[in-house]
Amino acid sequence: MPDVLVLVDHDGERVHKSTYELLAAARRLGDPAAVVVGAPGTAARLKESLARQGATSVYAAESAEAGEFLVTPAVDALELAVREAPPAAVLVSATTDGREVAARLAARLDSGLLIDAVDLDSSGVVTQIVFGGSYTVRSQVTHGVPVITVRPGAFEPEEHPGEVAERALTLPATDPAASARITARRAAPAGDRPGLTEAAVVVSGGRGVGAADGFKVVEELADALGGAVGASRAAVDAGYYPHQFQVGQTGKSVSPQLYIALGISGAIQHLAGMQTSKTIVAVNKDPEAPILDLADYGVVGDLFAVAPQLTQEVAARRAVG
């Protein structure tokens, strides 16, 4: 079977869950081949976990300067892998960086590009949610090697252990004049909650939360469920919660097993970022809120009355089970 290239998203020590989802998607088209871009030794640290999740080969695209530039080294690595042995497709996670990598790669290869896929079949036909979530379409690349970005959470990781071959790619020197160099790094505040795009449960708050202090009820419910906290653009713009937690068309796209929306009316921009969630629960005191039409379960009521009761019930059931 032909290879399907998967760009590995990692922090140097750990492979992110979105990559395991890509490997599961890649198996529908061929043999998953993971492309690791990083400092020397990175691929060796990640190879075992990639093999456990089904990678049949690992391309090690390593250099001392790979982590000093944005996007360009990843594009270079994928282009080299494609030129070496044309794959059935290239899969990249639909993150901010991933979309840019995919677009640049497609331009270099003169290939078709499909973004934000939520499903993929064995013939290469991709399902997408487009125009802010208004339409579901099925598309297929008809020119060149398909380059596809996949929405985090769209596929379930599947352990598929086997032997893995390692191949080396020699990255070219990056032209500083044509690439964005990273001049400084600042660690984001870390907590015990899972990452927003990797969480199985996401609890989001909107304008209805009323104030930054009001997000305490959102956080308490998320912690009771072992989930991540999200926010609507209205809540972020109002200063209730940090921007990096925004869910929606101009924020992060999520597709968890359970999405709980507290005080979110359901503007189409927000729905575009979460409507592929497996189960959606909405709490809103406005019975005409658009999100109630999308929700699997809707509660018309005050979130400050409903959410604490739900948190208490979840905590009680966990205590006995």
Side-chain angles (χ1 to χ4, degrees):
M1 295 180 71
D3 280 350
V4 180
L5 298 181
V6 168
L7 179 62
V8 176
D9 190 10
H10 63 90
D11 60 10
E13 300 292 336
R14 183 182 67 91
V15 178
H16 294 168
K17 177 173 174 273
S18 58
T19 298
Y20 297 148
E21 296 168 5
L22 292 181
L23 292 172
R27 278 199 297 277
R28 298 188 178 186
L29 298 175
D31 295 325
V35 179
V36 178
V37 183
T42 303
R45 290 192 295 274
L46 305 182
K47 184 169 68 173
E48 183 179 344
S49 62
L50 292 169
R52 188 167 55 249
Q53 293 291 330
T56 58
S57 57
V58 173
Y59 283 93
E62 301 176 333
S63 74
E65 66 173 17
E68 296 180 10
F69 292 90
L70 292 173
V71 179
T72 302
V75 180
D76 289 340
L78 289 172
E79 183 184 16
L80 286 170
V82 170
R83 304 289 188 198
E84 183 174 300
V90 179
L91 303 186
V92 181
S93 185
T95 59
T96 302
D97 287 347
R99 291 186 184 100
E100 184 167 356
V101 168
R104 292 192 183 194
L105 178 66
R108 287 192 190 182
L109 299 175
D110 188 26
S111 290
L113 169 67
L114 295 173
I115 63 170
D116 214 21
V118 297
D119 200 5
L120 172 67
D121 69 20
S122 59
S123 64
V125 175
V126 163
T127 302
Q128 301 162 281
I129 309 296
V130 300
F131 294 120
S134 300
Y135 297 94
T136 300
V137 300
R138 287 165 59 80
S139 312
Q140 187 170 25
V141 170
T142 58
H143 179 74
V145 175
V147 181
I148 303 167
T149 70
V150 179
R151 179 177 294 195
F155 289 85
E156 282 296 310
E158 302 169 359
E159 286 201 4
H160 201 276
E163 295 296 321
V164 60
E166 186 171 340
R167 311 175 191 176
L169 294 174
T170 303
L171 287 174
T174 303
D175 181 2
S179 303
R181 181 185 288 272
I182 300 171
T183 58
R185 297 180 186 273
R186 182 176 61 190
D192 296 331
R193 300 186 186 105
L196 187 56
T197 58
E198 297 191 357
V201 177
V202 174
V203 183
S204 289
R207 191 195 306 273
V209 174
D213 290 344
F215 257 83
K216 183 179 180 181
V217 298
V218 180
E219 293 176 332
E220 289 175 345
L221 180 55
D223 291 341
L225 292 166
V229 174
S232 69
R233 178 171 180 173
V236 168
D237 288 348
Y240 298 169
Y241 220 64
H243 180 270
Q244 65 263 34
F245 297 98
Q246 181 185 331
V247 174
Q249 192 170 25
T250 55
K252 293 181 178 177
S253 295
V254 299
S255 189
Q257 295 295 314
L258 172 64
Y259 187 89
I260 301 178
L262 302 177
I264 296 175
S265 63
I268 193 169
Q269 291 84 358
H270 183 78
L271 301 184
M274 47 66 68
Q275 66 179 359
T276 56
S277 303
K278 308 309 182 288
T279 301
I280 300 171
V281 177
V283 180
N284 201 294
K285 63 183 179 182
D286 178 7
E288 302 300 322
I291 200 166
L292 294 174
D293 294 329
L294 178 68
D296 297 288
Y297 302 95
V299 179
V300 178
D302 183 349
L303 71 91
F304 292 102
V306 176
Q309 292 182 58
L310 181 54
T311 300
Q312 292 172 9
E313 184 65 23
V314 169
R317 294 199 177 202
R318 286 198 163 187
V320 299

Coordinates of all heavy atoms in Angstrom, one line a residue, residues 89-181:
A89 N -1.3 10.7 0.1 CA -1.8 11.9 0.6 C -0.9 12.4 1.7 O 0.0 11.7 2.2 CB -3.3 11.8 1.2
V90 N -1.1 13.7 2.1 CA -0.4 14.3 3.2 C -1.4 14.8 4.1 O -2.3 15.6 3.8 CB 0.6 15.5 2.7 CG1 1.3 16.1 4.0 CG2 1.6 15.0 1.7
L91 N -1.3 14.4 5.4 CA -2.3 14.8 6.4 C -1.6 15.7 7.5 O -0.5 15.3 8.0 CB -2.9 13.6 7.1 CG -3.7 12.6 6.2 CD1 -4.4 11.5 7.1 CD2 -4.7 13.2 5.3
V92 N -2.3 16.8 7.8 CA -1.7 17.7 8.8 C -2.9 18.1 9.7 O -4.0 18.3 9.2 CB -1.2 19.0 8.1 CG1 -0.6 20.0 9.1 CG2 -0.1 18.6 7.1
S93 N -2.6 18.3 11.0 CA -3.7 18.7 11.9 C -4.1 20.2 11.6 O -3.3 21.0 11.3 CB -3.1 18.6 13.3 OG -4.2 18.9 14.2
A94 N -5.4 20.4 11.7 CA -5.9 21.7 11.3 C -5.8 22.7 12.4 O -6.8 23.3 12.9 CB -7.4 21.6 10.9
T95 N -4.5 22.9 12.9 CA -4.2 24.0 13.8 C -3.8 25.2 13.1 O -3.7 25.2 11.8 CB -3.1 23.5 14.7 OG1 -1.9 23.3 13.9 CG2 -3.4 22.3 15.5
T96 N -3.5 26.3 13.8 CA -3.1 27.5 13.1 C -1.8 27.3 12.3 O -1.8 27.7 11.1 CB -2.8 28.6 14.2 OG1 -4.0 28.9 15.0 CG2 -2.4 29.9 13.5
D97 N -0.8 26.7 12.9 CA 0.4 26.4 12.2 C 0.2 25.3 11.1 O 0.7 25.4 10.0 CB 1.5 25.9 13.1 CG 2.1 27.0 14.0 OD1 1.8 28.2 13.7 OD2 2.8 26.7 15.0
G98 N -0.6 24.3 11.4 CA -0.9 23.2 10.5 C -1.5 23.7 9.2 O -1.2 23.3 8.1
R99 N -2.5 24.7 9.3 CA -3.1 25.2 8.1 C -2.1 25.9 7.2 O -2.1 25.8 6.0 CB -4.3 26.1 8.5 CG -5.5 25.4 9.1 CD -6.6 26.4 9.3 NE -7.7 25.8 10.0 CZ -8.0 26.0 11.3 NH1 -7.2 26.7 12.0 NH2 -9.0 25.4 11.9
E100 N -1.2 26.7 7.8 CA -0.2 27.4 7.0 C 0.8 26.4 6.4 O 1.2 26.6 5.2 CB 0.5 28.4 7.9 CG 1.5 29.3 7.1 CD 2.0 30.5 7.8 OE1 1.6 30.7 9.0 OE2 2.9 31.2 7.3
V101 N 1.2 25.4 7.1 CA 2.1 24.4 6.6 C 1.5 23.8 5.3 O 2.1 23.6 4.3 CB 2.5 23.3 7.6 CG1 3.2 22.1 6.9 CG2 3.4 23.9 8.7
A102 N 0.2 23.3 5.5 CA -0.5 22.7 4.4 C -0.6 23.6 3.2 O -0.4 23.1 2.0 CB -1.9 22.2 4.9
A103 N -1.0 24.8 3.4 CA -1.2 25.7 2.3 C 0.1 26.0 1.5 O 0.2 26.0 0.3 CB -1.7 27.1 2.8
R104 N 1.2 26.2 2.3 CA 2.5 26.4 1.6 C 3.0 25.1 0.9 O 3.5 25.2 -0.2 CB 3.6 26.8 2.7 CG 3.3 28.1 3.3 CD 4.6 28.6 4.1 NE 4.4 29.8 4.7 CZ 5.4 30.5 5.3 NH1 6.6 30.1 5.2 NH2 5.1 31.7 5.9
L105 N 2.7 24.0 1.5 CA 3.1 22.7 0.8 C 2.4 22.5 -0.5 O 3.0 22.2 -1.5 CB 2.9 21.5 1.8 CG 3.3 20.2 1.2 CD1 4.7 20.0 0.9 CD2 2.8 19.1 2.1
A106 N 1.1 22.7 -0.4 CA 0.2 22.6 -1.6 C 0.7 23.5 -2.7 O 0.7 23.1 -3.9 CB -1.2 22.8 -1.3
A107 N 1.1 24.7 -2.4 CA 1.6 25.7 -3.4 C 2.9 25.2 -4.0 O 3.1 25.3 -5.2 CB 1.7 27.1 -2.7
R108 N 3.8 24.7 -3.1 CA 5.1 24.2 -3.7 C 4.9 23.0 -4.6 O 5.6 22.9 -5.6 CB 6.0 23.8 -2.5 CG 6.6 25.0 -1.7 CD 7.7 24.4 -0.8 NE 8.1 25.4 0.1 CZ 9.1 25.2 1.0 NH1 9.7 24.0 1.0 NH2 9.5 26.1 1.8
L109 N 3.9 22.1 -4.2 CA 3.7 20.9 -5.0 C 2.8 21.1 -6.2 O 2.6 20.2 -7.0 CB 3.2 19.8 -4.1 CG 4.0 19.4 -2.9 CD1 3.3 18.3 -2.1 CD2 5.4 18.8 -3.4
D110 N 2.1 22.3 -6.3 CA 1.1 22.5 -7.2 C 0.0 21.4 -7.1 O -0.4 20.8 -8.1 CB 1.6 22.5 -8.7 CG 0.6 22.9 -9.7 OD1 -0.4 23.6 -9.3 OD2 0.7 22.5 -10.9
S111 N -0.4 21.2 -5.8 CA -1.4 20.1 -5.5 C -2.7 20.7 -5.0 O -2.7 21.9 -4.5 CB -0.8 19.2 -4.5 OG 0.2 18.4 -5.0
G112 N -3.7 19.9 -5.0 CA -5.0 20.3 -4.4 C -4.9 20.3 -2.9 O -4.2 19.5 -2.3
L113 N -5.6 21.2 -2.2 CA -5.6 21.4 -0.8 C -7.1 21.3 -0.3 O -8.0 22.0 -0.8 CB -5.0 22.7 -0.4 CG -5.1 23.2 1.1 CD1 -4.4 22.2 2.0 CD2 -4.7 24.6 1.2
L114 N -7.3 20.5 0.7 CA -8.6 20.4 1.4 C -8.4 20.7 2.9 O -7.5 20.1 3.5 CB -9.2 19.0 1.2 CG -9.6 18.6 -0.2 CD1 -10.1 17.2 -0.3 CD2 -10.7 19.6 -0.8
I115 N -9.2 21.6 3.4 CA -8.9 22.0 4.8 C -10.1 21.6 5.7 O -11.2 21.5 5.3 CB -8.7 23.6 4.9 CG1 -9.9 24.3 4.4 CG2 -7.5 24.0 4.1 CD1 -9.8 25.8 4.7
D116 N -9.7 21.4 7.0 CA -10.7 21.2 8.1 C -11.6 20.0 7.8 O -12.8 20.1 8.0 CB -11.5 22.5 8.3 CG -11.9 22.7 9.7 OD1 -11.2 22.1 10.6 OD2 -12.9 23.4 10.0
A117 N -11.0 18.9 7.4 CA -11.7 17.7 7.2 C -12.3 17.1 8.5 O -11.6 17.1 9.5 CB -10.9 16.6 6.5
V118 N -13.5 16.6 8.5 CA -14.1 15.9 9.6 C -14.3 14.5 9.4 O -14.7 13.7 10.3 CB -15.4 16.6 10.1 CG1 -15.1 18.1 10.5 CG2 -16.4 16.6 9.0
D119 N -14.1 14.0 8.1 CA -14.2 12.6 7.8 C -13.4 12.4 6.5 O -13.2 13.3 5.7 CB -15.6 12.2 7.7 CG -15.8 10.7 7.8 OD1 -14.8 10.0 8.1 OD2 -16.9 10.2 7.6
L120 N -13.1 11.1 6.3 CA -12.2 10.7 5.1 C -12.5 9.3 4.8 O -12.5 8.4 5.7 CB -10.8 10.9 5.5 CG -9.7 10.4 4.5 CD1 -9.7 11.2 3.2 CD2 -8.3 10.6 5.2
D121 N -12.8 9.0 3.6 CA -13.0 7.6 3.2 C -11.9 7.0 2.5 O -10.9 7.7 2.1 CB -14.4 7.4 2.5 CG -14.4 8.0 1.1 OD1 -13.3 8.2 0.5 OD2 -15.5 8.2 0.6
S122 N -11.9 5.7 2.2 CA -10.8 5.0 1.6 C -10.5 5.4 0.2 O -9.4 5.1 -0.3 CB -11.1 3.5 1.6 OG -12.3 3.2 0.9
S123 N -11.4 6.1 -0.5 CA -11.2 6.6 -1.8 C -10.6 8.0 -1.9 O -10.4 8.5 -2.9 CB -12.5 6.5 -2.7 OG -13.4 7.4 -2.1
G124 N -10.4 8.6 -0.7 CA -9.8 9.9 -0.6 C -10.9 11.0 -0.6 O -10.5 12.2 -0.7
V125 N -12.1 10.7 -0.5 CA -13.2 11.7 -0.5 C -13.3 12.2 1.0 O -13.4 11.5 1.9 CB -14.6 11.1 -0.9 CG1 -15.7 12.2 -0.7 CG2 -14.5 10.7 -2.3
V126 N -13.2 13.5 1.1 CA -13.2 14.2 2.4 C -14.5 14.9 2.7 O -15.1 15.5 1.8 CB -12.1 15.3 2.4 CG1 -12.2 16.3 3.5 CG2 -10.7 14.6 2.4
T127 N -15.0 14.8 3.9 CA -16.1 15.5 4.4 C -15.7 16.8 5.1 O -14.8 16.7 6.0 CB -17.0 14.7 5.3 OG1 -17.4 13.5 4.6 CG2 -18.3 15.4 5.7
Q128 N -16.3 18.0 4.7 CA -15.9 19.2 5.4 C -17.2 20.0 5.8 O -18.2 19.8 5.2 CB -15.1 20.1 4.4 CG -13.9 19.5 3.8 CD -13.4 20.3 2.6 OE1 -13.9 20.0 1.5 NE2 -12.5 21.2 2.7
I129 N -17.0 20.8 6.8 CA -18.1 21.7 7.3 C -17.6 23.1 6.8 O -16.6 23.6 7.2 CB -18.2 21.7 8.8 CG1 -18.4 20.3 9.3 CG2 -19.4 22.6 9.2 CD1 -19.6 19.6 8.8
V130 N -18.4 23.7 5.9 CA -17.9 25.0 5.3 C -18.9 26.1 5.5 O -20.0 26.0 6.0 CB -17.7 24.8 3.8 CG1 -16.7 23.7 3.5 CG2 -19.0 24.4 3.1
F131 N -18.4 27.3 5.1 CA -19.2 28.6 5.2 C -19.8 28.7 6.7 O -21.0 28.9 6.9 CB -20.4 28.6 4.2 CG -19.9 28.7 2.8 CD1 -20.2 27.7 1.9 CD2 -19.1 29.8 2.4 CE1 -19.7 27.8 0.6 CE2 -18.6 29.8 1.1 CZ -19.0 28.8 0.2
G132 N -18.8 28.7 7.6 CA -19.2 28.9 9.0 C -20.1 27.9 9.6 O -20.9 28.1 10.5
G133 N -20.1 26.7 9.0 CA -20.9 25.6 9.5 C -22.3 25.5 8.8 O -23.1 24.7 9.3
S134 N -22.5 26.3 7.8 CA -23.8 26.3 7.1 C -24.0 25.0 6.3 O -25.2 24.6 6.0 CB -23.9 27.5 6.3 OG -23.8 28.7 7.1
Y135 N -22.9 24.5 5.7 CA -23.1 23.4 4.8 C -22.1 22.3 5.1 O -21.0 22.5 5.6 CB -22.8 23.8 3.3 CG -23.8 24.9 2.8 CD1 -23.6 26.2 2.9 CD2 -25.1 24.5 2.3 CE1 -24.5 27.2 2.5 CE2 -26.0 25.4 1.9 CZ -25.7 26.8 2.0 OH -26.6 27.7 1.6
T136 N -22.5 21.0 4.8 CA -21.6 19.9 4.8 C -21.3 19.5 3.4 O -22.3 19.3 2.6 CB -22.2 18.7 5.6 OG1 -22.4 19.2 6.9 CG2 -21.2 17.5 5.6
V137 N -20.0 19.4 3.0 CA -19.7 19.0 1.6 C -18.8 17.8 1.6 O -18.1 17.6 2.5 CB -19.1 20.2 0.8 CG1 -20.1 21.4 0.8 CG2 -17.8 20.7 1.5
R138 N -18.7 17.2 0.4 CA -17.8 16.1 0.2 C -16.9 16.5 -1.0 O -17.4 16.9 -2.0 CB -18.5 14.8 -0.1 CG -19.1 14.2 1.2 CD -20.1 13.1 0.9 NE -19.6 12.0 0.2 CZ -18.9 11.0 0.7 NH1 -18.6 11.0 2.0 NH2 -18.4 10.0 0.0
S139 N -15.6 16.4 -0.8 CA -14.7 16.9 -1.8 C -13.5 15.9 -2.0 O -13.3 15.1 -1.2 CB -14.1 18.3 -1.4 OG -15.0 19.2 -0.9
Q140 N -12.9 16.0 -3.2 CA -11.8 15.1 -3.5 C -10.8 15.9 -4.4 O -11.1 16.6 -5.3 CB -12.2 13.9 -4.2 CG -11.1 12.9 -4.4 CD -11.7 11.5 -4.9 OE1 -12.7 11.5 -5.6 NE2 -11.0 10.4 -4.7
V141 N -9.5 15.7 -4.0 CA -8.4 16.4 -4.8 C -8.3 15.6 -6.1 O -8.2 14.4 -6.2 CB -7.1 16.4 -4.0 CG1 -5.9 16.8 -4.9 CG2 -7.2 17.3 -2.8
T142 N -8.2 16.4 -7.2 CA -8.1 15.8 -8.6 C -6.8 16.1 -9.2 O -6.5 15.7 -10.4 CB -9.3 16.2 -9.5 OG1 -9.3 17.6 -9.6 CG2 -10.6 15.7 -8.9
H143 N -5.9 16.9 -8.5 CA -4.7 17.3 -9.2 C -3.5 17.2 -8.1 O -3.6 17.8 -7.1 CB -4.8 18.7 -9.7 CG -3.5 19.2 -10.3 ND1 -3.1 18.8 -11.5 CD2 -2.5 20.1 -9.9 CE1 -1.9 19.4 -11.8 NE2 -1.6 20.2 -10.8
G144 N -2.5 16.4 -8.5 CA -1.4 16.3 -7.6 C -1.6 15.5 -6.3 O -2.6 14.8 -6.2
V145 N -0.7 15.5 -5.4 CA -0.8 14.8 -4.1 C -1.7 15.5 -3.2 O -1.5 16.7 -2.9 CB 0.6 14.6 -3.5 CG1 0.5 14.0 -2.1 CG2 1.6 13.8 -4.3
P146 N -2.8 14.9 -2.8 CA -3.8 15.6 -1.9 C -3.1 16.0 -0.6 O -2.4 15.2 0.1 CB -4.8 14.5 -1.6 CG -4.7 13.5 -2.7 CD -3.2 13.5 -3.1
V147 N -3.3 17.3 -0.2 CA -2.8 17.8 1.0 C -4.1 18.1 1.8 O -4.9 18.9 1.4 CB -2.0 19.1 0.8 CG1 -1.5 19.6 2.2 CG2 -0.8 18.8 -0.1
I148 N -4.2 17.5 3.0 CA -5.5 17.6 3.8 C -5.2 18.0 5.2 O -4.4 17.4 5.9 CB -6.2 16.2 3.7 CG1 -6.5 15.8 2.3 CG2 -7.5 16.3 4.5 CD1 -6.9 14.3 2.1
T149 N -5.9 19.0 5.7 CA -5.8 19.3 7.1 C -7.1 18.7 7.8 O -8.2 18.8 7.2 CB -5.8 20.8 7.4 OG1 -7.0 21.4 7.1 CG2 -4.7 21.5 6.6
V150 N -6.9 18.1 8.9 CA -7.9 17.3 9.6 C -8.2 18.0 11.0 O -7.3 18.3 11.7 CB -7.5 15.9 9.9 CG1 -8.6 15.1 10.6 CG2 -7.2 15.2 8.5
R151 N -9.5 18.2 11.2 CA -9.9 18.9 12.4 C -9.6 18.0 13.7 O -10.0 16.8 13.7 CB -11.4 19.2 12.4 CG -11.9 19.9 13.7 CD -13.4 20.2 13.7 NE -13.7 21.2 12.7 CZ -14.8 21.9 12.7 NH1 -15.8 21.7 13.5 NH2 -15.0 22.9 11.7
P152 N -8.9 18.6 14.7 CA -8.7 17.8 15.9 C -10.0 17.3 16.5 O -10.9 18.0 16.6 CB -8.0 18.8 16.8 CG -7.3 19.8 15.9 CD -8.3 19.9 14.7
G153 N -9.9 16.0 16.9 CA -11.1 15.4 17.5 C -12.0 14.7 16.5 O -13.0 14.0 16.9
A154 N -11.7 14.8 15.2 CA -12.6 14.2 14.2 C -12.5 12.7 14.1 O -13.4 12.0 13.7 CB -12.3 14.8 12.8
F155 N -11.3 12.2 14.5 CA -11.0 10.7 14.4 C -10.6 10.3 15.8 O -10.0 11.0 16.6 CB -9.9 10.4 13.4 CG -10.3 10.6 12.0 CD1 -10.2 11.8 11.4 CD2 -10.8 9.5 11.3 CE1 -10.6 12.0 10.1 CE2 -11.1 9.6 10.0 CZ -11.1 10.9 9.3
E156 N -10.9 9.0 16.1 CA -10.5 8.4 17.4 C -9.1 7.7 17.2 O -9.0 6.9 16.3 CB -11.5 7.4 17.9 CG -12.7 8.1 18.5 CD -12.4 8.8 19.8 OE1 -11.7 8.3 20.7 OE2 -12.8 10.0 19.9
P157 N -8.2 8.0 18.1 CA -6.9 7.3 18.0 C -7.1 5.8 18.2 O -8.0 5.3 18.9 CB -6.1 7.8 19.1 CG -6.7 9.2 19.4 CD -8.1 9.0 19.1
E158 N -6.4 5.0 17.4 CA -6.5 3.5 17.5 C -5.1 2.9 17.6 O -4.3 3.1 16.7 CB -7.2 3.0 16.3 CG -8.6 3.5 16.0 CD -9.1 3.2 14.6 OE1 -8.4 2.5 13.9 OE2 -10.2 3.6 14.3
E159 N -4.9 2.1 18.7 CA -3.6 1.5 18.8 C -3.5 0.4 17.7 O -4.4 -0.4 17.5 CB -3.4 0.9 20.2 CG -3.1 1.9 21.3 CD -2.5 1.3 22.5 OE1 -2.2 0.1 22.5 OE2 -2.3 2.0 23.5
H160 N -2.3 0.4 17.0 CA -2.1 -0.5 15.9 C -0.6 -0.8 15.9 O 0.1 -0.4 14.9 CB -2.6 0.1 14.6 CG -2.9 -0.8 13.6 ND1 -1.9 -1.3 12.7 CD2 -4.1 -1.4 13.2 CE1 -2.5 -2.2 11.8 NE2 -3.8 -2.2 12.1
P161 N -0.1 -1.5 16.9 CA 1.4 -1.6 17.0 C 1.9 -2.5 15.9 O 1.3 -3.4 15.4 CB 1.5 -2.3 18.4 CG 0.2 -3.0 18.7 CD -0.8 -2.1 18.0
G162 N 3.2 -2.2 15.6 CA 3.9 -2.9 14.5 C 5.3 -2.5 14.4 O 5.7 -1.6 15.1
E163 N 6.0 -3.0 13.5 CA 7.4 -2.6 13.2 C 7.4 -1.3 12.5 O 6.5 -1.0 11.7 CB 8.1 -3.7 12.3 CG 8.2 -5.0 13.0 CD 9.1 -5.0 14.3 OE1 10.1 -4.2 14.2 OE2 8.8 -5.6 15.3
V164 N 8.4 -0.5 12.8 CA 8.5 0.8 12.2 C 9.9 1.0 11.7 O 10.9 0.7 12.3 CB 8.1 1.9 13.2 CG1 9.1 1.9 14.4 CG2 8.1 3.3 12.5
A165 N 10.0 1.5 10.4 CA 11.3 1.8 9.8 C 11.6 3.3 10.0 O 10.7 4.1 9.9 CB 11.3 1.4 8.3
E166 N 12.9 3.6 10.2 CA 13.2 5.0 10.3 C 14.0 5.5 9.1 O 14.9 4.8 8.6 CB 14.1 5.3 11.6 CG 14.4 6.8 11.8 CD 15.0 7.0 13.2 OE1 14.8 6.2 14.1 OE2 15.6 8.1 13.3
R167 N 13.6 6.6 8.6 CA 14.3 7.2 7.4 C 14.8 8.6 7.7 O 14.0 9.3 8.4 CB 13.4 7.2 6.2 CG 12.7 5.9 5.9 CD 11.7 6.0 4.8 NE 10.8 4.8 4.7 CZ 9.8 4.7 3.8 NH1 9.6 5.7 3.0 NH2 9.1 3.6 3.8
A168 N 15.9 9.0 7.2 CA 16.4 10.3 7.5 C 16.1 11.2 6.3 O 16.2 10.9 5.1 CB 17.9 10.2 7.7
L169 N 15.8 12.5 6.6 CA 15.6 13.5 5.6 C 16.6 14.6 6.0 O 16.7 15.1 7.1 CB 14.2 14.1 5.6 CG 13.1 13.1 5.2 CD1 11.7 13.8 5.4 CD2 13.2 12.8 3.7
T170 N 17.3 15.1 5.0 CA 18.3 16.2 5.3 C 17.7 17.5 5.0 O 17.4 17.9 3.8 CB 19.6 16.0 4.4 OG1 20.1 14.7 4.7 CG2 20.6 17.1 4.7
L171 N 17.4 18.3 6.0 CA 16.7 19.5 5.8 C 17.7 20.6 5.2 O 18.8 20.6 5.6 CB 16.2 20.1 7.2 CG 15.0 19.4 7.8 CD1 14.7 20.0 9.2 CD2 13.8 19.6 6.9
P172 N 17.2 21.4 4.3 CA 18.1 22.4 3.7 C 18.2 23.5 4.7 O 17.4 23.7 5.6 CB 17.3 22.9 2.5 CG 15.9 22.6 2.8 CD 15.9 21.3 3.6
A173 N 19.2 24.3 4.6 CA 19.4 25.5 5.4 C 18.3 26.5 5.2 O 17.9 26.7 4.1 CB 20.7 26.2 5.2
T174 N 17.7 27.0 6.3 CA 16.6 27.9 6.2 C 17.1 29.3 5.9 O 18.0 29.8 6.5 CB 15.7 27.9 7.4 OG1 15.3 26.6 7.7 CG2 14.5 28.8 7.3
D175 N 16.5 30.0 4.9 CA 16.9 31.3 4.5 C 16.2 32.3 5.5 O 15.0 32.5 5.5 CB 16.4 31.7 3.1 CG 16.8 33.1 2.7 OD1 17.5 33.8 3.5 OD2 16.4 33.5 1.6
P176 N 17.0 33.0 6.4 CA 16.5 33.9 7.4 C 15.7 35.0 6.8 O 14.8 35.6 7.4 CB 17.7 34.4 8.2 CG 18.8 33.4 7.9 CD 18.5 32.9 6.5
A177 N 16.1 35.4 5.6 CA 15.4 36.6 4.9 C 14.0 36.2 4.4 O 13.2 37.1 4.2 CB 16.3 37.1 3.8
A178 N 13.8 34.9 4.3 CA 12.5 34.5 3.7 C 11.6 33.7 4.7 O 10.6 33.2 4.3 CB 12.7 33.6 2.5
S179 N 12.1 33.6 5.9 CA 11.4 32.9 6.9 C 11.3 33.6 8.3 O 12.1 34.5 8.5 CB 12.1 31.5 7.2 OG 12.2 30.8 6.0
A180 N 10.3 33.3 9.0 CA 10.1 34.0 10.3 C 10.9 33.2 11.4 O 10.7 32.1 11.6 CB 8.6 34.0 10.7
R181 N 11.9 33.9 12.0 CA 12.7 33.3 13.0 C 12.1 33.5 14.4 O 11.5 34.6 14.7 CB 14.1 33.9 13.0 CG 15.0 33.3 14.0 CD 16.4 34.0 14.1 NE 17.2 33.7 12.9 CZ 18.0 32.7 12.8 NH1 18.1 31.8 13.8 NH2 18.7 32.4 11.7

